Amino acid sequence: MPNERLRDALLRQGLNLDHVARAAKVDPKTVERWITKNRIPYPKHRHTIAAMVRESENYLWPDALPTERKAEVAVSEVIKVYPHRHAVPRELWSRLIDNAHEDIEILVYAGMFLTEYPKLIHQFREKAQGGTRIRLLFGDPVSREVTRRSEDEGIGKTTLAAKVRNALAFFRPLRDEPNIEIRCHGTTLYNSIYRFDDEMVVNTHLYGFQAAHAPALHLRRLSAGDLFENYSESLESVWKSAKEPKWAKE
């Protein structure tokens, strides 16, 4: 079975067999076998290719590492655990936003705390104009999932939907900006995810608690890890099924 992840990653970076062969110091036919026959390269070659295509080794070759080794790497991906999301320092959020140059991805129901950053719209617009891809995912305010989550948090049926509408109103000025996409989803979220290039904050969801009072994990992507990658793939799955907000069709 071909390694479609590797093939796709190379295509996205405009790389061919010869590029990879020169970097890894192997024959192009060897690279072809890595792709078409899903052969797993030696670790030194995996490191080289992963760096070239800016993907983790575990994403490109999920079966390359034994389970025990994956668990060890996952521990190293966790920079810090915060007991509550509101305990994440404001300085950390600012640094993550400032240092992101390729991807900013946010998956939430409302994420209203983001509206407390008055310069955020300007920052996102400036980053998008500089080439940063920004994807913002909010809950669909009329979905049953948002209603259910609102009830689970103990704030009533309609409160969270109102927060989502307020968040969409806040980010509405960005709707026509190149490199910025905003969508709404109707999925059950077990975590809110905030990705900034190779760093991420994962805010877990707890029954009976608002997101601000639930724990948050600060992660950094490692080439051989799969913790960061799993959350990233989860976000991607929600993105694929999400739709444009109704105001985007006006």
Side-chain angles (χ1 to χ4, degrees), residues 32-242:
E32 185 177 12
R33 287 192 289 272
W34 292 342
I35 298 171
T36 61
K37 298 184 182 299
N38 199 14
R39 300 281 177 80
I40 298 177
Y42 289 123
K44 64 178 181 180
H45 296 145
R46 296 201 301 267
H47 300 336
T48 298
I49 297 170
M52 290 177 70
V53 300
R54 295 191 60 79
E55 294 287 357
S56 73
E57 290 179 52
N58 192 64
Y59 171 78
L60 297 172
W61 302 281
D63 299 323
L65 292 179
T67 302
E68 296 78 8
R69 177 58 180 152
K70 287 183 180 180
E72 292 174 358
V73 176
V75 171
S76 298
E77 287 187 283
V78 180
I79 297 175
K80 189 165 184 176
V81 177
Y82 295 91
H84 313 287
R85 192 206 64 213
H86 64 68
V88 178
R90 192 179 183 92
E91 295 75 17
L92 175 60
W93 291 111
S94 297
R95 180 183 68 75
L96 293 173
I97 294 170
D98 290 343
N99 291 348
H101 298 294
E102 296 190 1
D103 291 288
I104 294 177
E105 299 178 307
I106 295 175
L107 169 60
V108 294
Y109 277 131
M112 276 299 292
F113 77 98
L114 295 171
T115 65
E116 300 171 5
Y117 293 78
K119 297 181 180 179
L120 190 60
I121 295 297
H122 172 74
Q123 284 181 294
F124 277 9
R125 181 179 289 118
E126 190 176 61
K127 284 190 169 293
Q129 290 172 353
T132 304
R133 182 184 68 159
I134 299 176
R135 302 198 300 182
L136 308 176
L137 270 164
F138 298 95
D140 182 344
V142 300
S143 68
R144 62 184 180 182
E145 287 78 14
V146 167
T147 299
R148 183 180 296 120
R149 180 59 195 170
S150 193
E151 292 178 308
D152 289 349
E153 290 185 357
I155 56 177
K157 283 187 175 182
T158 61
T159 303
L160 184 55
K163 289 183 177 182
V164 174
R165 292 186 176 96
N166 287 337
L168 288 171
F170 177 81
F171 286 100
R172 181 171 178 156
L174 298 175
R175 64 177 181 169
D176 296 322
E177 289 290 336
N179 290 328
I180 297 180
E181 293 183 83
I182 302 174
R183 294 185 185 180
C184 286
H185 66 88
T187 56
T188 299
L189 290 186
Y190 302 100
N191 307 276
S192 295
I193 300 174
Y194 307 84
R195 179 190 174 184
F196 307 90
D197 287 348
D198 291 333
E199 291 189 65
M200 178 185 289
V201 175
V202 177
N203 182 193
T204 65
H205 291 183
L206 297 177
Y207 183 85
F209 288 81
Q210 294 184 44
H213 302 290
L217 289 72
H218 179 195
L219 308 178
R220 177 170 290 142
R221 183 184 194 179
L222 296 179
S223 180
D226 63 358
L227 185 60
F228 183 104
E229 200 62 48
N230 286 341
Y231 283 117
S232 184
E233 287 190 38
S234 175
L235 187 153
E236 186 66 30
S237 295
V238 178
W239 179 262
K240 289 178 179 178
S241 63

Side-chain angles (χ1 to χ4, degrees), residues 1-17 31-32 34-38 49 53 59-61:
M1 185 176 182
N3 188 332
E4 297 298 344
R5 291 185 176 185
L6 177 56
R7 189 199 305 275
D8 178 70
L10 293 173
L11 287 173
R12 280 188 280 109
Q13 297 296 329
L15 300 172
N16 58 33
L17 300 181
V31 180
E32 185 177 12
W34 292 342
I35 298 171
T36 61
K37 298 184 182 299
N38 199 14
I49 297 170
V53 300
Y59 171 78
L60 297 172
W61 302 281

